[in-house]
mmCIF file with all atom_site columns, all heavy atoms in Angstrom:
data_model
loop_
_atom_site.group_PDB
_atom_site.id
_atom_site.type_symbol
_atom_site.label_atom_id
_atom_site.label_alt_id
_atom_site.label_comp_id
_atom_site.label_asym_id
_atom_site.label_entity_id
_atom_site.label_seq_id
_atom_site.pdbx_PDB_ins_code
_atom_site.Cartn_x
_atom_site.Cartn_y
_atom_site.Cartn_z
_atom_site.occupancy
_atom_site.B_iso_or_equiv
_atom_site.pdbx_formal_charge
_atom_site.auth_seq_id
_atom_site.auth_comp_id
_atom_site.auth_asym_id
_atom_site.auth_atom_id
_atom_site.pdbx_PDB_model_num
ATOM 1  N N   . VAL W 1 64 ? -6.232  24.172 34.611 1.00 98.00 ? 87 VAL W N   1
ATOM 2  C CA  . VAL W 1 64 ? -7.299  23.458 33.897 1.00 98.00 ? 87 VAL W CA  1
ATOM 3  C C   . VAL W 1 64 ? -8.118  22.641 34.903 1.00 98.00 ? 87 VAL W C   1
ATOM 4  O O   . VAL W 1 64 ? -9.350  22.678 34.908 1.00 98.00 ? 87 VAL W O   1
ATOM 5  C CB  . VAL W 1 64 ? -6.707  22.563 32.779 1.00 98.00 ? 87 VAL W CB  1
ATOM 6  C CG1 . VAL W 1 64 ? -7.707  21.543 32.277 1.00 98.00 ? 87 VAL W CG1 1
ATOM 7  C CG2 . VAL W 1 64 ? -6.220  23.430 31.621 1.00 98.00 ? 87 VAL W CG2 1
ATOM 8  N N   . GLU W 1 65 ? -7.408  21.942 35.784 1.00 98.00 ? 88 GLU W N   1
ATOM 9  C CA  . GLU W 1 65 ? -8.109  21.141 36.802 1.00 98.00 ? 88 GLU W CA  1
ATOM 10 C C   . GLU W 1 65 ? -8.958  22.043 37.709 1.00 98.00 ? 88 GLU W C   1
ATOM 11 O O   . GLU W 1 65 ? -10.122 21.757 37.976 1.00 98.00 ? 88 GLU W O   1
ATOM 12 C CB  . GLU W 1 65 ? -7.087  20.365 37.638 1.00 98.00 ? 88 GLU W CB  1
ATOM 13 C CG  . GLU W 1 65 ? -7.741  19.522 38.710 1.00 98.00 ? 88 GLU W CG  1
ATOM 14 C CD  . GLU W 1 65 ? -6.726  18.719 39.504 1.00 98.00 ? 88 GLU W CD  1
ATOM 15 O OE1 . GLU W 1 65 ? -6.227  17.722 38.961 1.00 98.00 ? 88 GLU W OE1 1
ATOM 16 O OE2 . GLU W 1 65 ? -6.445  19.086 40.653 1.00 98.00 ? 88 GLU W OE2 1
ATOM 17 N N   . GLN W 1 66 ? -8.363  23.145 38.125 1.00 98.00 ? 89 GLN W N   1
ATOM 18 C CA  . GLN W 1 66 ? -9.070  24.095 39.001 1.00 98.00 ? 89 GLN W CA  1
ATOM 19 C C   . GLN W 1 66 ? -10.342 24.619 38.324 1.00 98.00 ? 89 GLN W C   1
ATOM 20 O O   . GLN W 1 66 ? -11.409 24.651 38.933 1.00 98.00 ? 89 GLN W O   1
ATOM 21 C CB  . GLN W 1 66 ? -8.099  25.245 39.310 1.00 98.00 ? 89 GLN W CB  1
ATOM 22 C CG  . GLN W 1 66 ? -8.698  26.440 40.043 1.00 98.00 ? 89 GLN W CG  1
ATOM 23 C CD  . GLN W 1 66 ? -7.745  27.634 39.941 1.00 98.00 ? 89 GLN W CD  1
ATOM 24 O OE1 . GLN W 1 66 ? -6.625  27.572 40.435 1.00 98.00 ? 89 GLN W OE1 1
ATOM 25 N NE2 . GLN W 1 66 ? -8.184  28.719 39.304 1.00 98.00 ? 89 GLN W NE2 1
ATOM 26 N N   . GLU W 1 67 ? -10.237 24.985 37.065 1.00 98.00 ? 90 GLU W N   1
ATOM 27 C CA  . GLU W 1 67 ? -11.391 25.583 36.379 1.00 98.00 ? 90 GLU W CA  1
ATOM 28 C C   . GLU W 1 67 ? -12.458 24.539 36.032 1.00 98.00 ? 90 GLU W C   1
ATOM 29 O O   . GLU W 1 67 ? -13.637 24.803 36.153 1.00 98.00 ? 90 GLU W O   1
ATOM 30 C CB  . GLU W 1 67 ? -10.927 26.347 35.125 1.00 98.00 ? 90 GLU W CB  1
ATOM 31 C CG  . GLU W 1 67 ? -10.074 27.563 35.457 1.00 98.00 ? 90 GLU W CG  1
ATOM 32 C CD  . GLU W 1 67 ? -10.709 28.501 36.497 1.00 98.00 ? 90 GLU W CD  1
ATOM 33 O OE1 . GLU W 1 67 ? -11.803 29.013 36.232 1.00 98.00 ? 90 GLU W OE1 1
ATOM 34 O OE2 . GLU W 1 67 ? -10.105 28.689 37.579 1.00 98.00 ? 90 GLU W OE2 1
ATOM 35 N N   . PHE W 1 68 ? -12.033 23.337 35.633 1.00 98.00 ? 91 PHE W N   1
ATOM 36 C CA  . PHE W 1 68 ? -13.019 22.279 35.345 1.00 98.00 ? 91 PHE W CA  1
ATOM 37 C C   . PHE W 1 68 ? -13.773 21.906 36.624 1.00 98.00 ? 91 PHE W C   1
ATOM 38 O O   . PHE W 1 68 ? -14.955 21.626 36.583 1.00 98.00 ? 91 PHE W O   1
ATOM 39 C CB  . PHE W 1 68 ? -12.337 21.026 34.797 1.00 98.00 ? 91 PHE W CB  1
ATOM 40 C CG  . PHE W 1 68 ? -12.227 20.987 33.287 1.00 98.00 ? 91 PHE W CG  1
ATOM 41 C CD1 . PHE W 1 68 ? -11.065 20.560 32.670 1.00 98.00 ? 91 PHE W CD1 1
ATOM 42 C CD2 . PHE W 1 68 ? -13.305 21.350 32.479 1.00 98.00 ? 91 PHE W CD2 1
ATOM 43 C CE1 . PHE W 1 68 ? -10.967 20.500 31.280 1.00 98.00 ? 91 PHE W CE1 1
ATOM 44 C CE2 . PHE W 1 68 ? -13.208 21.300 31.081 1.00 98.00 ? 91 PHE W CE2 1
ATOM 45 C CZ  . PHE W 1 68 ? -12.039 20.875 30.488 1.00 98.00 ? 91 PHE W CZ  1
ATOM 46 N N   . SER W 1 69 ? -13.036 21.883 37.746 1.00 98.00 ? 92 SER W N   1
ATOM 47 C CA  . SER W 1 69 ? -13.686 21.405 38.971 1.00 98.00 ? 92 SER W CA  1
ATOM 48 C C   . SER W 1 69 ? -14.763 22.377 39.472 1.00 98.00 ? 92 SER W C   1
ATOM 49 O O   . SER W 1 69 ? -15.583 22.019 40.305 1.00 98.00 ? 92 SER W O   1
ATOM 50 C CB  . SER W 1 69 ? -12.659 21.090 40.058 1.00 98.00 ? 92 SER W CB  1
ATOM 51 O OG  . SER W 1 69 ? -11.985 22.262 40.380 1.00 98.00 ? 92 SER W OG  1
#
Side-chain angles (χ1 to χ4, degrees):
V87 164
E88 180 178 285
Q89 172 195 297
E90 294 309 300
F91 269 138
S92 62

